[in-house]
Amino acid sequence: EVQLVESGGGLVQAGGSLRLSCAASGFTFDDYAIGWFRQAPGKEREGVSWFSTSDGSTDYADSVKGRFTISSDNAKNTVYLQMNSLKPEDTAVYYCAVAFLAGYVPETPDYYHYWGQGTQVTVSS
């Protein structure tokens, strides 16, 4: 059974940092796409960062470039999202998701097959 469990969310002041973790089970990091998405109240779910387990390539939404870093520990089947210089507009529930699409890293939520339960990130001004 595929499971994704996020952790690391919390309340932080603007300018602070958090590191989110996404622990995956039920599959091994082979040739898949892992994505971090977020959803703020009243808004659509949006992509934040994406990672290819096959070649380690990464990509980021313009809104987080230079502030967020996605990385992985394949031995632990875990993907991380280091978030620095947090802003109040980063407040949202953050989700990780996996897309079983070899050689392709989609940036829209519709392509992702499994999702974690989400972790709340709140940035105070």
Side-chain angles (χ1 to χ4, degrees):
E1 178 186 6
V2 173
Q3 284 192 322
L4 300 169
V5 179
E6 302 97 336
S7 60
L11 173 64
V12 64
Q13 289 188 332
S17 298
L18 285 173
R19 189 177 81 156
L20 305 184
S21 299
C22 173
S25 61
F27 68 100
T28 57
F29 280 14
D30 190 359
D31 188 9
Y32 306 129
I34 303 290
W36 281 100
F37 297 81
R38 66 187 182 187
Q39 189 166 19
K43 295 189 176 181
E44 292 188 352
R45 192 168 296 190
E46 64 173 356
V48 176
S49 182
W50 304 272
F51 174 81
S52 169
T53 62
S54 63
D55 62 9
S57 61
T58 61
D59 201 3
Y60 300 90
D62 288 343
S63 58
V64 307
K65 276 182 182 175
R67 300 188 298 122
F68 290 10
T69 303
I70 190 170
S71 63
S72 77
D73 183 336
N74 286 4
K76 295 182 178 180
N77 263 28
T78 300
V79 176
Y80 304 97
L81 186 68
Q82 177 67 43
M83 307 186 297
N84 299 328
S85 302
L86 283 162
K87 304 175 181 179
E89 51 263 43
D90 294 318
T91 295
V93 178
Y94 283 70
Y95 301 88
C96 65
V98 61
F100 295 120
L101 298 170
Y104 177 51
V105 181
E107 297 189 353
T108 55
D110 292 350
Y111 287 93
Y112 284 78
H113 299 95
Y114 292 92
W115 293 79
Q117 81 288 353
T119 185
Q120 176 70 47
V121 171
T122 303
V123 185
S124 63
S125 57

